[in-house]
Amino acid sequence: MRPADALCLCLDALRGHRRRSLMLLLAIGIGVLAVTLLTGLAEGARGFVLAEFSLLGRNTLIVLPGRKETTGGVPPLTGLAPRDLTLQDAEAIARLPAVRRVAPLQAGQLEVSAGGRRREALVLGTSREFFAIRQLQVSQGQPLPPLPFGQAEAVCLIGAKLRRELFAERPALGEWLRAGDRRFRVIGLLEERGESLGMDFAELLIIPVASAQALFDREGLFRVFAEVRGPLLLDSGKRQILALLRERHEGEEDVTLISQDSMLAAFDDILGALAMALAGIAAISLLVAGVLIMNVTWIAVSQRTAEIGLLKALGATPRQVHGLFVGEALLLALLGALAGLLLGELLLWIARLLWEVPLRAPLWARLGALLLALATAVLFAWLPAAQAARLPPVQALRPPGAR
């Protein structure tokens, strides 16, 4: 039997049992679609998180007050409150040889009002260096003036959404607004950027860090951003900052230092494992489809004994008969898998347009789903096909009542 003849027989058998073929196509297609969508969502989340953290730059270190580490026990309830990070700490860090620029941060929620309009907003106190470290652009006006960390000034920058809600269509540059019990003059408008690392820049009010300390009546800093002079100085910069703060904090290492690489590695590992777990869960549906393939192939063998007998009477070998039934299952699996892949890619493309998130199934997931669908078809169709190959031609040609 020529391969072309075998293919024609497989196609005729599939066309002759349209409902059964459609059911198997649907089962395989849903399994592959599930793998594509779930891994695409996981990979999209991974890409989004990594892109967010990459905005910090490879040379940026984040200093947090308190030692964040896992010991396995219950955390102490009293007596071990972390020492605050102060503006003096930030100034000392800025004087280190490996450090290029430093941006202290103070943050809190306050009611902001202008011209009778009011709303809650995130107020961020920082310095001019924050704009360079976080790659933050100004669409109109100017960034914060280059003030000493300890100098307060009644100036601010606002995000695009906050500007619309406070000033509507009126120009905002040069106008005054009230945050808490203090007034600030708008000197700049932030470029629209959306949310980054949990901070929505469109709703942000940025003021000098000393002004924020007075506004919140709080001396301790939320965190400190420090940018070293190059990737090769990252490790030495970490050591210098930790040694400096240990010396300033009476010999205690009571801060946590986070680099972009450590955050990226941690999130990459977590989200990579999540993608593999989701792919495994989705692959279970392909195993269910395999059981369906086996059951349908058993039924097909019992219904097509006369056809099997005729093929053998015409000279078909058991191996060729076995290959016909396995080939039918493989053809169905291939068509169903391709349909599932195409539908999955279409849905991910639509999601990318709607949400602007990099939702893409990785190549290993697409190839793995296709290969798993084909392997499932072969595995679960093998035994029924073997039974068909063992049928004697004379017995297969007898009427059902005479066997």
Side-chain angles (χ1 to χ4, degrees), residues 20-21 23-24 291-301:
R20 185 179 70 198
S21 301
M23 181 173 59
L24 291 177
V291 175
L292 181 61
I293 288 174
M294 183 171 64
N295 290 334
V296 170
T297 308
W298 280 117
I299 295 171
V301 169

Side-chain angles (χ1 to χ4, degrees), residues 31-354:
V32 174
L33 174 65
V35 173
T36 305
L37 285 182
L38 289 179
T39 54
L41 290 173
E43 194 68 16
R46 175 176 172 271
F48 176 77
V49 170
L50 298 185
E52 288 294 304
F53 280 111
S54 67
L55 292 175
L56 288 175
R58 293 182 58 87
N59 306 334
T60 303
L61 299 170
I62 304 174
V63 187
L64 302 167
R67 187 70 181 164
K68 309 291 192 299
E69 60 185 3
T70 303
T71 59
V74 178
L77 300 178
T78 59
L80 289 176
R83 186 190 303 268
D84 287 336
L85 279 172
T86 65
L87 287 180
Q88 291 73 30
D89 291 331
E91 290 169 348
I93 292 172
R95 291 192 293 267
L96 291 173
V99 175
R100 172 181 293 153
R101 54 173 67 99
V102 167
L105 263 70
Q106 182 65 270
Q109 289 277 347
L110 276 179
E111 185 178 78
V112 180
S113 61
R117 296 169 175 259
R118 61 186 69 243
R119 60 154 296 167
E120 288 284 324
L122 175 63
V123 180
L124 185 69
T126 185
S127 65
R128 186 185 182 94
E129 287 77 11
F130 179 75
F131 291 81
I133 292 175
R134 290 302 313 272
Q135 303 174 31
L136 192 59
Q137 302 296 322
V138 177
S139 61
Q140 295 181 41
Q142 59 183 351
L144 290 175
L147 303 171
F149 292 160
Q151 181 178 334
E153 192 165 323
V155 295
C156 70
L157 290 92
I158 57 176
K161 184 176 180 181
L162 186 60
R163 185 205 68 79
R164 288 192 297 269
E165 296 191 359
L166 292 181
F167 296 96
E169 300 302 323
R170 296 186 293 118
L173 280 180
E175 297 296 321
W176 291 82
L177 57 79
R178 179 173 292 275
D181 59 353
R182 295 173 182 266
R183 296 175 72 238
F184 296 90
R185 185 169 59 88
V186 179
I187 63 169
L189 304 178
L190 300 176
E191 188 178 75
E192 294 215 35
R193 176 168 162 181
E195 192 168 336
S196 175
L197 298 181
M199 187 181 298
D200 190 352
F201 287 94
E203 300 184 357
L204 196 62
L205 173 69
I206 299 181
I207 61 177
V209 63
S211 302
Q213 287 185 320
L215 188 61
F216 295 117
D217 191 22
R218 188 190 310 150
E219 183 179 354
L221 297 174
F222 174 55
R223 62 189 58 178
V224 174
F225 284 94
E227 182 183 308
V228 299
R229 297 186 181 277
L232 298 179
L233 296 174
L234 196 62
D235 290 335
S236 63
K238 288 181 184 179
R239 291 193 296 270
Q240 289 177 24
I241 292 173
L242 288 174
L244 171 70
L245 294 178
R246 191 185 306 117
E247 180 183 348
R248 292 181 57 84
H249 293 185
E250 301 176 358
E252 293 185 21
E253 191 171 308
D254 54 3
V255 297
T256 299
L257 202 58
I258 302 174
S259 67
Q260 183 217 54
D261 288 342
S262 63
M263 288 189 293
L264 288 179
F267 277 100
D268 196 26
D269 290 344
I270 293 170
L271 294 173
L274 176 63
M276 292 294 293
L278 291 176
I281 293 171
I284 295 175
S285 60
L286 285 174
L287 296 180
V288 175
V291 175
L292 181 61
I293 288 174
M294 183 171 64
N295 290 334
V296 170
T297 308
W298 280 117
I299 295 171
V301 169
S302 64
Q303 292 177 341
R304 295 164 62 187
T305 51
E307 178 186 342
I308 296 168
L310 181 59
L311 285 172
K312 287 194 169 184
L314 292 174
T317 64
R319 184 175 180 180
Q320 289 174 329
V321 173
H322 186 274
L324 282 176
F325 282 92
V326 173
E328 289 177 19
L330 272 175
L331 187 58
L332 279 172
L334 180 61
L335 294 175
L338 290 176
L341 280 175
L342 290 175
L343 181 58
E345 291 299 322
L346 176 63
L347 293 176
L348 290 175
W349 176 74
I350 293 173
R352 286 197 297 272
L353 292 181
L354 293 177

